[in-house]
């Protein structure tokens, strides 16, 4: 992995075997980025895609393996009041199975790079977006705080 900051934006190149989500979170921690958005593309080896099932309050996981074209990655990073980092990431992959092209997409748990991934990370400027836990859904949502935060 390598990354550079140009202006206010970070450009990240991930290499074979790198895990995308933990790499993004690691850069945010190292650079003290408390909230950001990101997007990217790449060639991946595996992915865990989650679908939230409201009736059970849990996620179903689909595991993909093989040559996966990461055609779209988008997400955000936020922190809670304790400084814990969280991500909310969605992605779409194209791949061949049994000689046919397929697409799979959804909420992402993890992605491992096969060849490379190219990520643009844009920190929130002039403020901070926090994560606020919602007990009704058992998940977290954006919290903008107050003007003095």
């Amino acid at each position: 992995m390598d990354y550079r900051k140009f202006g206010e934006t970070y450009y990240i190149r991930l290499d074979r075997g790198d895990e995308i989500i933990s790499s993004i979170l690691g850069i945010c921690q190292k650079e003290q980025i408390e909230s950001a958005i990101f997007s990217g593309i790449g060639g991946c080896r595996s992915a865990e895609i989650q679908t939230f099932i409201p009736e059970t309050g849990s996620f179903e996981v689909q595991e993909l393996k093989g040559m996966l074209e990461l055609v779209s990655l988008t997400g955000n990073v936020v922190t809670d009041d304790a400084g814990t980092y969280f991500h909310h990431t969605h992605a779409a992959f194209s791949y061949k199975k049994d000689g046919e092209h397929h697409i799979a997409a959804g909420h992402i748990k993890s992605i491992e790079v096969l060849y490379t991934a190219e990520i643009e990370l844009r920190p929130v400027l002039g403020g901070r977006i926090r994560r606020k836990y919602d007990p009704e859904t058992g998940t977290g949502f954006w919290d903008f705080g107050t003007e003095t935060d």
Side-chain angles (χ1 to χ4, degrees), residues 42-55:
C44 301
R45 168 188 332 230
S46 64
E48 289 184 86
I49 300 174
Q50 300 175 315
T51 301
F52 185 70
I53 309 302
E55 296 78 19

Side-chain angles (χ1 to χ4, degrees), residues 12-20 24 38-47 64 66-74 90-95 104 111-120:
I12 307 163
R13 187 204 68 237
L14 297 164
D15 302 313
R16 182 184 306 267
D18 289 338
E19 199 286 315
I20 292 176
I24 291 170
F38 59 88
S39 60
I41 56 174
C44 301
R45 168 188 332 230
S46 64
L64 298 176
M67 177 53 216
L68 309 172
E69 280 292 338
L70 175 57
V71 296
S72 177
L73 173 77
T74 187
H90 288 221
F93 300 90
S94 66
Y95 60 98
I111 306 170
E112 183 183 351
V113 174
L114 178 59
Y115 298 116
T116 191
E118 299 160 345
I119 311 295
E120 180 183 31

Side-chain angles (χ1 to χ4, degrees), residues 15-138:
D15 302 313
R16 182 184 306 267
D18 289 338
E19 199 286 315
I20 292 176
I21 304 303
S22 62
S23 296
I24 291 170
L25 292 175
I27 291 169
C28 287
Q29 290 169 341
K30 180 179 178 184
E31 299 291 335
Q32 299 178 337
I33 299 167
E34 296 179 311
S35 49
I37 58 173
F38 59 88
S39 60
I41 56 174
C44 301
R45 168 188 332 230
S46 64
E48 289 184 86
I49 300 174
Q50 300 175 315
T51 301
F52 185 70
I53 309 302
E55 296 78 19
T56 63
S58 63
F59 285 93
E60 288 182 358
V61 177
Q62 176 186 7
E63 293 185 28
L64 298 176
K65 293 188 185 284
M67 177 53 216
L68 309 172
E69 280 292 338
L70 175 57
V71 296
S72 177
L73 173 77
T74 187
N76 64 67
V77 173
V78 296
T79 53
D80 64 11
D81 288 334
T84 304
Y85 283 77
F86 297 89
H87 74 96
H88 185 185
T89 307
H90 288 221
F93 300 90
S94 66
Y95 60 98
K96 285 188 82 171
K97 182 177 178 182
D98 300 325
E100 295 184 10
H101 290 277
H102 296 270
I103 293 177
H107 181 87
I108 297 302
K109 184 175 180 183
S110 67
I111 306 170
E112 183 183 351
V113 174
L114 178 59
Y115 298 116
T116 191
E118 299 160 345
I119 311 295
E120 180 183 31
L121 175 69
R122 296 172 303 282
V124 171
L125 302 176
R128 176 180 169 209
I129 301 171
R130 291 179 175 87
R131 181 180 189 263
K132 181 178 181 181
Y133 179 74
D134 178 46
E136 182 179 341
T137 61

